[in-house]
Amino acid sequence: MPDTQALVNDFISKLKKRKIEGSQATAKQTAELLRSVISQTRVPYTNQAAALIQSVKAVGERLIAANPVELAVGNVVRRVLHIIREEDLSLTTAAMAGLNLSAVSDDEDDADRDNQPVLSAAAIAAASRSTLRPPSLQTLLEDVPDSAAIPHTSSSGGDSEGKSKSADKSSRSRKLKHDVIEAVNELIQDISTCHEQIAEQAVEHIHQNEVILTLGSSRTVLEFLCAAKEKKRSFRVFVSEGAPRYQGHLLAKELVMRGLQTTLITDSAVFAMISRVNMVIVGAHAVMANGGVIAPVGLNMVALAAQKHAVPFVVLAGSHKLCPLYPHHPEVLLNELRSPSELLDFGEFSDCLDFGSGIGAPLLHVVNPTFDYVQPKLVSLFITDTGGHNPSYIGEMYRLFVVSACGEGMNFKSEIMRTNCIAEGNFVKSSIRMRGINFFGKLEDRKSQFFCGCGEM
Amino acid sequence: MGAQKKGATARVSEDQEELARNPLQAILLADSFATTFRPITLERPKVLLPLVNIPMIDYTLAWLESAGVEEVFVFCCAHSKQVIDYLESSQWSSQPNFSVTTIESHNSISAGDALRLIYERNVIHGDFVLISGDTMSNMSLTQVLQEHKERRKKDANAIMTMVIKKSKPSPITQQSRLGTDELFMAINPVTKQLLCYEDKAERSKGFISLDKTLIADNPSIILHNDKQDCYIDVCSQEVLSLFTDNFDYQHLRRHFVKGLLVDDIMGYKIFTHEIHSSYAARIDNFRSYDTISKDIIQRWTYPFVPDILCGSSAIKVERQGAYRASDVTLSRSAHIGSFTFIGQGTKIGNDTKISHSVVGEGCTIGSNVTIEGSYIWNNVTIEDGCQLRHAIVCDGVIMRSGAVLQPGVILSFKVVVGQQFVVPAYSKVSLLQQPTQQDSDEELEYADNTSGTGELRSDKLNGDIATDLSETAYELGTGGVGYIWSVFEGAQDEEWKHSVAPIPTDKLVKLMLDKDEDEEQLTQDGNVLSASGELKADSDDNGSEDDDNADSRDDYGFFEKEVEATFLRAVHENVKVDHAVLEVNALRLSYNMASVDCAGAIFYSMMKLAVESPHHSASELHRNAADIITKWQKLLKSFLHDIDEEIEVILKFEEMCLESAKEFAALFPQVLHLLYDKEILQEDAILRWADEKEGADESDKVFLKSSEKFVQWLKEAEEEDEDD
């Protein structure tokens, strides 16, 4: 436990000091940290999910506060919370499926079961299945007939009933944690492979002899362009240098190393060049729930130029960059003001910053914002791990991603959620909550309706 | 989890593979050993003073930690208990991979003592970073450490690397933007070795001196006055033992650095490392407190800026660099201007205007208050209608309604300013009485800042301060509590230089005028040097000197007078000729003259003496001249090394005859003959003079004609010689 605490503190101080750069690295490290937090959390016999959620939340809040600008941290925390709830839900439903069956087969233990949710071997079997195959209502429903056979075999010996109950308890808690860690591992895997997944789609978007413009440097963009090149597409790239950090220079170098025809231009030349460009492809810092993009400074200008010349503006974003918050949300800090020394040399301008004379206040202000906000209407297309999406679909996209992290068949489920939550404006956020605590809390009471509902769907 | 941990450590060690072998250590001096922040530092150590609402030492420690330092020894002396208590309760005591150890001392009065004590403790095992607790930076140490280590490998005497940064001093005030005096550094541009460090170049002299051997040893030297010393030093272990060996080293720069630069026996070397994009500065006085606060608010110290460094309370940067904590109670009509920091829990009333200021936590500010360029610490109460301009207001101060702080005022802890009272500019107000007049001696300056005063204060504060104060006159208006410190004699002039307030325009104008005068003086001096050079070159034909500038003549005039005075003294006091030669030679060097000038001046003096001594006829004058020349021919001869100088003598004589001593005009050929007879002038010189004069104007030929016979005779004699 103190070990994780140290890890958390270490990570927090790194976040605070802005020592971790890039949302992918941040997302990955956050997920890894949360994984170790989960594995170190002691789980009580009852309500394990709540305990896990609590500890992850506690850590998550501190992480988010450490660097509120890095939205990827919050995104990953939310995803992990979601994973816990999903796993718990699937375990419980699996347990209940087993419960129903065993109730049919064995009536003697009714009283016990009413007092506390005791699981039979069927539940374990179902749960173990669910780890092999991503759990979902659909699979659950499919599984029911199969798993029905198991309890009969396992609970044949009446005297072993008591033992297996206690064993169930501990194994269930281990199960939940195990499942959650498995799912978080998948998430980490997703985050680390998102570049490749996005890059796979490159050929669908980049065509022969096209001219692509990009600004600054983004690993996703680099992989994307190179993937197209590997597929024998020949095209040219304009790289805008991306002042004041000039990461475009690095990207240009990198592209040339990989054999792409590259032209480096200044940021101020973007408008002049845009008429020759077929498509603008850029990376993002975060994608907000309304489809707006928080991106390296200068991109709004590029987006406006692209709009003026009707050039498609394509944003590449891994799923960890999708944020369920709105840009006008008070807790979303949109920008980070970095050191002015990136713009100009302090020594050269030290005489402009002499407060000893005049009014005692600097006449020279140097402002160095890191990000731009690009309105959703300026974005033509988002390309994510799962394919291209229209900005107006981005809210849906978020749900898709959250859901897809847990497996297939979730469209079906998200439909339920949307019908529940669509009335509330902030449907993405509330849908999580609905599927999380609220919904889950009422699950016990409403299990019959729930299943009926599912059946009808 | 294991994998993750490994990943984390791997990242850390990537930056500092070198350092991994030996944990990087730092010595942080949590005592400035100076009195510039009095009266505030009588009650709280300087390193705990809030800088944009965060204690200074936190900036320093945060930077050290992020720069990869693993072990910090905090040396505390004055108010050591406060520093130790603060560090123990702060986040720094529980950081992984970053240990903060305090070293306490009660009797150290200087940085030198501190380092000697640390040396005795034997805790430093390798290269270390030496820094004081009032230094802000965001530079990366990796490069400077690497440079230092590489230099060490090549040369074991390279024991220290100083970090410097470009910063131009103001041309008017001759001080940097941090309020420190203009600093001159001579650096070898190739090796970056520091050769000269002059922080108190004497303005009156207007020059700094460089040892000639420096120029001999170094192919090129760059002399900077636009570099700022960041007071961040990477030192080798030897530095500590050097302090122990030289027990009289007190000040790091004044004694240690200068001592090493002068001392060529040990051959220790100091190098410099210039930083460009990153920030580093030290708070040395109130002016730098103001400047660095503004730099922090403008985010030059990123990532060590309040919104990132303040962990607990959420601080947001709003438009125009306005930092505001989350729970500020702000009246709708209050106006918060640009580059302002408002701390947690502060209440601000109607129509109050705040700009370019820092307001700490838990302050209550009334209506219609104007705050401009001021630093207000925590829990300060400012009632309606107060006005503050460029002031520092410490914790717990109460300003009654309508009180006014003029620029440069310092209100120390818990002072109460009475209603409508106007605190005069640059005054320092404290609950504590001013310590008795200090000795202005530099060394003693340190002695006062020991913890003794701190103890004294706590007794006093806990005790009957109210009764104590009630006896005193109401120095701060009705209901006011506190003493206004008087400014020391002589320091009055300097007060505005180092205060938080910008330098008033009238002072600037005055300085500018002074400066202009200075400059005139300087250009004169400058011309002297170049003009004398010209003189040397031109001395073949002094006739063309007419249009030379008056300055050089002036200076030659001075020289001539000096030589004359020396000569007269020699005559009257019967000084030996050798001694007179020596004296004239000394004069020649100090006026930077050539021996030609000496010959001229001496001859002039001799002739003048001849003229001035009583005489009735031309023959008597001739006799006088002959006597003097005979007696002092040796003196004159010692400056007549070649023919040019002899010609100069003739020309001088000619000039005299025309101007100052016309009586000689008739005697010109006789004296010339006399000089020839006494072998002061050779015939070549006279002939050459005659040749030169041949082509001159008629008016110039007067003396040539008068001495035609003599010249003719000389020529014939020469021809005869040739015939033989």
Short mmCIF file of all heavy atoms in Angstrom, two decimals, chain B residues 640-687:
data_model
loop_
_atom_site.label_atom_id
_atom_site.label_comp_id
_atom_site.label_asym_id
_atom_site.label_seq_id
_atom_site.Cartn_x
_atom_site.Cartn_y
_atom_site.Cartn_z
N LEU B 640 67.56 63.12 -24.16
CA LEU B 640 67.82 63.35 -25.58
C LEU B 640 68.50 62.11 -26.15
O LEU B 640 69.71 62.03 -26.23
CB LEU B 640 68.74 64.58 -25.75
CG LEU B 640 68.13 65.90 -25.27
CD1 LEU B 640 69.16 67.02 -25.39
CD2 LEU B 640 66.91 66.25 -26.08
N HIS B 641 67.69 61.15 -26.50
CA HIS B 641 68.27 59.90 -26.99
C HIS B 641 68.56 59.95 -28.46
O HIS B 641 69.49 59.36 -28.95
CB HIS B 641 67.34 58.74 -26.69
CG HIS B 641 67.06 58.60 -25.23
ND1 HIS B 641 68.04 58.33 -24.33
CD2 HIS B 641 65.90 58.74 -24.53
CE1 HIS B 641 67.52 58.28 -23.12
NE2 HIS B 641 66.21 58.54 -23.21
N ASP B 642 67.72 60.64 -29.20
CA ASP B 642 68.00 60.69 -30.64
C ASP B 642 67.73 62.08 -31.19
O ASP B 642 67.36 63.01 -30.49
CB ASP B 642 67.22 59.61 -31.39
CG ASP B 642 65.73 59.77 -31.23
OD1 ASP B 642 65.31 60.86 -30.82
OD2 ASP B 642 64.99 58.80 -31.48
N ILE B 643 67.87 62.15 -32.45
CA ILE B 643 67.91 63.45 -33.11
C ILE B 643 66.55 64.15 -33.05
O ILE B 643 66.47 65.37 -32.95
CB ILE B 643 68.44 63.25 -34.55
CG1 ILE B 643 69.20 64.49 -35.01
CG2 ILE B 643 67.31 62.92 -35.51
CD1 ILE B 643 70.22 64.14 -36.06
N ASP B 644 65.50 63.34 -33.06
CA ASP B 644 64.15 63.92 -33.02
C ASP B 644 63.97 64.77 -31.77
O ASP B 644 63.36 65.82 -31.79
CB ASP B 644 63.09 62.81 -33.00
CG ASP B 644 62.91 62.22 -34.38
OD1 ASP B 644 63.34 62.90 -35.34
OD2 ASP B 644 62.36 61.10 -34.47
N GLU B 645 64.49 64.24 -30.66
CA GLU B 645 64.33 64.93 -29.40
C GLU B 645 65.12 66.23 -29.37
O GLU B 645 64.67 67.24 -28.81
CB GLU B 645 64.72 64.00 -28.25
CG GLU B 645 63.63 63.00 -27.97
CD GLU B 645 64.14 61.66 -27.49
OE1 GLU B 645 65.34 61.54 -27.19
OE2 GLU B 645 63.33 60.72 -27.41
N GLU B 646 66.27 66.17 -30.03
CA GLU B 646 67.08 67.40 -30.08
C GLU B 646 66.38 68.46 -30.91
O GLU B 646 66.36 69.64 -30.56
CB GLU B 646 68.46 67.10 -30.64
CG GLU B 646 69.28 66.30 -29.63
CD GLU B 646 70.55 65.72 -30.22
OE1 GLU B 646 71.04 66.25 -31.25
OE2 GLU B 646 71.05 64.72 -29.66
N ILE B 647 65.78 68.00 -32.00
CA ILE B 647 65.05 68.96 -32.84
C ILE B 647 63.91 69.57 -32.03
O ILE B 647 63.66 70.77 -32.09
CB ILE B 647 64.51 68.26 -34.11
CG1 ILE B 647 65.71 67.89 -34.99
CG2 ILE B 647 63.57 69.17 -34.86
CD1 ILE B 647 65.34 67.05 -36.18
N GLU B 648 63.27 68.71 -31.23
CA GLU B 648 62.17 69.18 -30.40
C GLU B 648 62.65 70.33 -29.49
O GLU B 648 61.94 71.32 -29.31
CB GLU B 648 61.63 68.00 -29.56
CG GLU B 648 60.71 68.38 -28.42
CD GLU B 648 59.33 68.82 -28.87
OE1 GLU B 648 58.97 68.54 -30.03
OE2 GLU B 648 58.62 69.45 -28.07
N VAL B 649 63.84 70.15 -28.97
CA VAL B 649 64.38 71.19 -28.09
C VAL B 649 64.53 72.50 -28.85
O VAL B 649 64.16 73.57 -28.37
CB VAL B 649 65.71 70.73 -27.47
CG1 VAL B 649 66.41 71.91 -26.80
CG2 VAL B 649 65.49 69.61 -26.49
N ILE B 650 65.03 72.40 -30.06
CA ILE B 650 65.21 73.63 -30.84
C ILE B 650 63.85 74.27 -31.12
O ILE B 650 63.67 75.48 -30.97
CB ILE B 650 65.92 73.34 -32.18
CG1 ILE B 650 67.27 72.65 -31.90
CG2 ILE B 650 66.15 74.64 -32.95
CD1 ILE B 650 67.99 72.21 -33.16
N LEU B 651 62.92 73.39 -31.49
CA LEU B 651 61.59 73.92 -31.81
C LEU B 651 60.99 74.59 -30.58
O LEU B 651 60.36 75.63 -30.66
CB LEU B 651 60.67 72.80 -32.29
CG LEU B 651 60.98 72.28 -33.70
CD1 LEU B 651 60.20 71.00 -33.96
CD2 LEU B 651 60.68 73.33 -34.74
N LYS B 652 61.22 73.96 -29.45
CA LYS B 652 60.67 74.49 -28.20
C LYS B 652 61.27 75.87 -27.94
O LYS B 652 60.57 76.82 -27.56
CB LYS B 652 61.05 73.52 -27.07
CG LYS B 652 60.38 73.81 -25.77
CD LYS B 652 59.02 73.14 -25.76
CE LYS B 652 58.09 73.88 -24.82
NZ LYS B 652 56.73 73.42 -24.96
N PHE B 653 62.53 75.92 -28.13
CA PHE B 653 63.23 77.18 -27.89
C PHE B 653 62.67 78.26 -28.81
O PHE B 653 62.41 79.38 -28.39
CB PHE B 653 64.73 76.96 -28.12
CG PHE B 653 65.58 78.13 -27.74
CD1 PHE B 653 65.32 78.83 -26.53
CD2 PHE B 653 66.61 78.57 -28.55
CE1 PHE B 653 66.10 79.91 -26.19
CE2 PHE B 653 67.39 79.66 -28.19
CZ PHE B 653 67.13 80.33 -27.01
N GLU B 654 62.49 77.87 -30.04
CA GLU B 654 61.95 78.78 -31.03
C GLU B 654 60.59 79.30 -30.55
O GLU B 654 60.31 80.49 -30.59
CB GLU B 654 61.77 78.00 -32.34
CG GLU B 654 61.95 78.84 -33.57
CD GLU B 654 61.79 77.99 -34.82
OE1 GLU B 654 61.59 76.75 -34.68
OE2 GLU B 654 61.83 78.53 -35.90
N GLU B 655 59.78 78.37 -30.09
CA GLU B 655 58.43 78.70 -29.64
C GLU B 655 58.49 79.69 -28.48
O GLU B 655 57.74 80.66 -28.42
CB GLU B 655 57.74 77.40 -29.22
CG GLU B 655 56.24 77.51 -29.03
CD GLU B 655 55.72 76.20 -28.45
OE1 GLU B 655 55.98 75.15 -29.06
OE2 GLU B 655 55.07 76.24 -27.41
N MET B 656 59.43 79.41 -27.60
CA MET B 656 59.56 80.27 -26.42
C MET B 656 59.95 81.68 -26.83
O MET B 656 59.42 82.66 -26.33
CB MET B 656 60.62 79.72 -25.48
CG MET B 656 60.12 78.63 -24.57
SD MET B 656 61.44 78.11 -23.50
CE MET B 656 61.38 79.36 -22.24
N CYS B 657 60.87 81.72 -27.73
CA CYS B 657 61.33 83.02 -28.17
C CYS B 657 60.20 83.82 -28.78
O CYS B 657 60.17 85.05 -28.72
CB CYS B 657 62.46 82.89 -29.20
SG CYS B 657 63.90 82.15 -28.48
N LEU B 658 59.30 83.10 -29.41
CA LEU B 658 58.18 83.79 -30.05
C LEU B 658 57.12 84.19 -29.03
O LEU B 658 56.51 85.24 -29.15
CB LEU B 658 57.53 82.88 -31.10
CG LEU B 658 58.21 82.85 -32.47
CD1 LEU B 658 57.58 81.81 -33.34
CD2 LEU B 658 58.18 84.22 -33.13
N GLU B 659 56.92 83.36 -28.03
CA GLU B 659 55.78 83.58 -27.16
C GLU B 659 56.16 83.99 -25.74
O GLU B 659 56.10 85.17 -25.40
CB GLU B 659 54.91 82.30 -27.11
CG GLU B 659 54.17 82.08 -28.41
CD GLU B 659 53.64 80.67 -28.53
OE1 GLU B 659 53.63 79.94 -27.52
OE2 GLU B 659 53.26 80.29 -29.64
N SER B 660 56.57 83.01 -24.95
CA SER B 660 56.66 83.28 -23.51
C SER B 660 57.92 84.05 -23.11
O SER B 660 57.89 84.82 -22.17
CB SER B 660 56.56 81.95 -22.75
OG SER B 660 57.58 81.10 -23.20
N ALA B 661 59.02 83.86 -23.80
CA ALA B 661 60.28 84.50 -23.38
C ALA B 661 60.91 85.23 -24.56
O ALA B 661 61.90 84.78 -25.14
CB ALA B 661 61.24 83.46 -22.82
N LYS B 662 60.30 86.37 -24.89
CA LYS B 662 60.74 87.06 -26.10
C LYS B 662 62.15 87.64 -25.95
O LYS B 662 62.81 87.95 -26.94
CB LYS B 662 59.76 88.16 -26.46
CG LYS B 662 58.46 87.56 -26.99
CD LYS B 662 57.57 88.61 -27.62
CE LYS B 662 56.38 87.90 -28.25
NZ LYS B 662 55.11 88.50 -27.92
N GLU B 663 62.56 87.76 -24.70
CA GLU B 663 63.90 88.32 -24.49
C GLU B 663 64.97 87.44 -25.11
O GLU B 663 66.03 87.91 -25.48
CB GLU B 663 64.18 88.44 -22.99
CG GLU B 663 63.31 89.48 -22.32
CD GLU B 663 63.34 89.33 -20.81
OE1 GLU B 663 64.38 89.69 -20.22
OE2 GLU B 663 62.34 88.83 -20.23
N PHE B 664 64.67 86.18 -25.23
CA PHE B 664 65.65 85.25 -25.80
C PHE B 664 65.80 85.41 -27.31
O PHE B 664 66.76 84.94 -27.90
CB PHE B 664 65.24 83.80 -25.51
CG PHE B 664 65.82 83.30 -24.22
CD1 PHE B 664 65.02 82.84 -23.19
CD2 PHE B 664 67.21 83.29 -24.05
CE1 PHE B 664 65.56 82.38 -22.01
CE2 PHE B 664 67.75 82.82 -22.86
CZ PHE B 664 66.94 82.37 -21.83
N ALA B 665 64.79 86.07 -27.91
CA ALA B 665 64.77 86.14 -29.37
C ALA B 665 66.09 86.64 -29.92
O ALA B 665 66.64 86.08 -30.88
CB ALA B 665 63.63 87.06 -29.83
N ALA B 666 66.63 87.65 -29.24
CA ALA B 666 67.89 88.21 -29.72
C ALA B 666 69.05 87.25 -29.50
O ALA B 666 70.02 87.24 -30.24
CB ALA B 666 68.17 89.54 -29.01
N LEU B 667 68.91 86.43 -28.44
CA LEU B 667 70.00 85.55 -28.06
C LEU B 667 69.95 84.18 -28.73
O LEU B 667 70.77 83.32 -28.44
CB LEU B 667 69.99 85.34 -26.54
CG LEU B 667 70.31 86.58 -25.70
CD1 LEU B 667 70.11 86.27 -24.23
CD2 LEU B 667 71.75 87.03 -25.94
N PHE B 668 69.01 84.03 -29.63
CA PHE B 668 68.78 82.69 -30.19
C PHE B 668 70.04 82.02 -30.72
O PHE B 668 70.37 80.90 -30.32
CB PHE B 668 67.68 82.76 -31.26
CG PHE B 668 67.27 81.44 -31.78
CD1 PHE B 668 66.32 80.69 -31.08
CD2 PHE B 668 67.84 80.90 -32.92
CE1 PHE B 668 65.94 79.46 -31.54
CE2 PHE B 668 67.47 79.64 -33.38
CZ PHE B 668 66.51 78.92 -32.69
N PRO B 669 70.81 82.73 -31.60
CA PRO B 669 72.00 82.05 -32.13
C PRO B 669 73.02 81.72 -31.03
O PRO B 669 73.59 80.62 -31.06
CB PRO B 669 72.60 83.06 -33.09
CG PRO B 669 71.61 84.16 -33.24
CD PRO B 669 70.64 84.08 -32.11
N GLN B 670 73.14 82.61 -30.08
CA GLN B 670 74.11 82.38 -29.01
C GLN B 670 73.76 81.13 -28.21
O GLN B 670 74.61 80.29 -27.94
CB GLN B 670 74.17 83.58 -28.04
CG GLN B 670 74.99 84.74 -28.57
CD GLN B 670 74.10 85.77 -29.24
OE1 GLN B 670 73.15 85.40 -29.94
NE2 GLN B 670 74.43 87.05 -29.07
N VAL B 671 72.50 81.05 -27.84
CA VAL B 671 72.09 79.90 -27.04
C VAL B 671 72.23 78.61 -27.85
O VAL B 671 72.67 77.58 -27.34
CB VAL B 671 70.63 80.08 -26.54
CG1 VAL B 671 70.15 78.83 -25.81
CG2 VAL B 671 70.53 81.29 -25.65
N LEU B 672 71.91 78.75 -29.13
CA LEU B 672 72.04 77.57 -29.98
C LEU B 672 73.49 77.11 -30.00
O LEU B 672 73.79 75.91 -29.89
CB LEU B 672 71.57 77.94 -31.40
CG LEU B 672 71.14 76.77 -32.28
CD1 LEU B 672 69.94 76.05 -31.66
CD2 LEU B 672 70.78 77.25 -33.68
N HIS B 673 74.36 78.08 -30.13
CA HIS B 673 75.78 77.77 -30.14
C HIS B 673 76.21 77.13 -28.82
O HIS B 673 76.93 76.14 -28.79
CB HIS B 673 76.57 79.06 -30.40
CG HIS B 673 77.98 78.78 -30.78
ND1 HIS B 673 78.85 79.76 -31.21
CD2 HIS B 673 78.68 77.63 -30.81
CE1 HIS B 673 80.03 79.22 -31.47
NE2 HIS B 673 79.94 77.91 -31.25
N LEU B 674 75.68 77.72 -27.74
CA LEU B 674 75.98 77.21 -26.41
C LEU B 674 75.58 75.74 -26.29
O LEU B 674 76.34 74.89 -25.82
CB LEU B 674 75.23 78.04 -25.37
CG LEU B 674 75.40 77.61 -23.92
CD1 LEU B 674 76.79 77.95 -23.42
CD2 LEU B 674 74.35 78.29 -23.03
N LEU B 675 74.36 75.46 -26.76
CA LEU B 675 73.86 74.09 -26.68
C LEU B 675 74.74 73.16 -27.51
O LEU B 675 75.02 72.02 -27.13
CB LEU B 675 72.43 74.01 -27.18
CG LEU B 675 71.38 74.66 -26.26
CD1 LEU B 675 70.02 74.72 -26.97
CD2 LEU B 675 71.26 73.91 -24.95
N TYR B 676 75.23 73.70 -28.64
CA TYR B 676 76.10 72.89 -29.49
C TYR B 676 77.41 72.63 -28.78
O TYR B 676 77.91 71.49 -28.76
CB TYR B 676 76.30 73.61 -30.83
CG TYR B 676 77.27 72.92 -31.74
CD1 TYR B 676 76.90 71.74 -32.38
CD2 TYR B 676 78.56 73.42 -31.94
CE1 TYR B 676 77.79 71.08 -33.20
CE2 TYR B 676 79.46 72.77 -32.76
CZ TYR B 676 79.07 71.60 -33.38
OH TYR B 676 79.95 70.95 -34.20
N ASP B 677 77.94 73.70 -28.14
CA ASP B 677 79.21 73.57 -27.44
C ASP B 677 79.12 72.55 -26.31
O ASP B 677 80.05 71.79 -26.07
CB ASP B 677 79.62 74.94 -26.86
CG ASP B 677 80.24 75.80 -27.93
OD1 ASP B 677 80.48 75.25 -29.04
OD2 ASP B 677 80.45 76.98 -27.70
N LYS B 678 78.00 72.60 -25.61
CA LYS B 678 77.85 71.69 -24.47
C LYS B 678 77.47 70.27 -24.91
O LYS B 678 77.16 69.40 -24.11
CB LYS B 678 76.73 72.20 -23.54
CG LYS B 678 77.05 73.51 -22.87
CD LYS B 678 78.05 73.36 -21.75
CE LYS B 678 78.47 74.74 -21.23
NZ LYS B 678 79.74 74.68 -20.51
N GLU B 679 77.47 70.07 -26.22
CA GLU B 679 77.15 68.76 -26.80
C GLU B 679 75.75 68.27 -26.44
O GLU B 679 75.47 67.09 -26.34
CB GLU B 679 78.19 67.71 -26.38
CG GLU B 679 79.50 67.97 -27.06
CD GLU B 679 80.55 66.95 -26.68
OE1 GLU B 679 80.26 66.11 -25.80
OE2 GLU B 679 81.65 66.99 -27.25
N ILE B 680 74.90 69.27 -26.16
CA ILE B 680 73.50 68.90 -25.95
C ILE B 680 72.86 68.68 -27.32
O ILE B 680 72.10 67.75 -27.52
CB ILE B 680 72.77 70.00 -25.15
CG1 ILE B 680 73.32 70.05 -23.72
CG2 ILE B 680 71.27 69.76 -25.13
CD1 ILE B 680 72.87 71.23 -22.93
N LEU B 681 73.19 69.55 -28.22
CA LEU B 681 72.68 69.39 -29.59
C LEU B 681 73.81 68.97 -30.50
O LEU B 681 74.91 69.52 -30.43
CB LEU B 681 72.09 70.71 -30.09
CG LEU B 681 70.88 71.25 -29.31
CD1 LEU B 681 70.40 72.54 -29.97
CD2 LEU B 681 69.76 70.22 -29.27
N GLN B 682 73.55 68.03 -31.37
CA GLN B 682 74.57 67.66 -32.35
C GLN B 682 74.35 68.48 -33.59
O GLN B 682 73.27 69.02 -33.82
CB GLN B 682 74.42 66.17 -32.71
CG GLN B 682 74.62 65.27 -31.51
CD GLN B 682 74.18 63.87 -31.83
OE1 GLN B 682 74.21 63.46 -32.98
NE2 GLN B 682 73.77 63.16 -30.80
N GLU B 683 75.35 68.51 -34.38
CA GLU B 683 75.23 69.37 -35.55
C GLU B 683 74.19 68.83 -36.53
O GLU B 683 73.51 69.60 -37.19
CB GLU B 683 76.58 69.56 -36.23
CG GLU B 683 77.23 68.27 -36.68
CD GLU B 683 78.61 68.53 -37.29
OE1 GLU B 683 79.45 69.09 -36.58
OE2 GLU B 683 78.80 68.21 -38.46
N ASP B 684 74.04 67.51 -36.55
CA ASP B 684 73.02 66.93 -37.42
C ASP B 684 71.65 67.49 -37.12
O ASP B 684 70.89 67.81 -38.04
CB ASP B 684 72.96 65.41 -37.22
CG ASP B 684 73.99 64.72 -38.10
OD1 ASP B 684 74.67 65.46 -38.84
OD2 ASP B 684 74.08 63.47 -38.03
N ALA B 685 71.35 67.56 -35.81
CA ALA B 685 70.04 68.03 -35.41
C ALA B 685 69.82 69.46 -35.88
O ALA B 685 68.75 69.79 -36.42
CB ALA B 685 69.90 67.95 -33.89
N ILE B 686 70.85 70.26 -35.69
CA ILE B 686 70.70 71.66 -36.06
C ILE B 686 70.55 71.79 -37.57
O ILE B 686 69.70 72.53 -38.07
CB ILE B 686 71.90 72.48 -35.55
CG1 ILE B 686 71.90 72.44 -34.00
CG2 ILE B 686 71.83 73.91 -36.04
CD1 ILE B 686 73.18 72.95 -33.38
N LEU B 687 71.31 71.00 -38.28
CA LEU B 687 71.25 71.08 -39.74
C LEU B 687 69.88 70.62 -40.24
O LEU B 687 69.32 71.22 -41.15
CB LEU B 687 72.36 70.23 -40.37
CG LEU B 687 73.77 70.85 -40.22
CD1 LEU B 687 74.81 69.90 -40.78
CD2 LEU B 687 73.84 72.21 -40.90
#
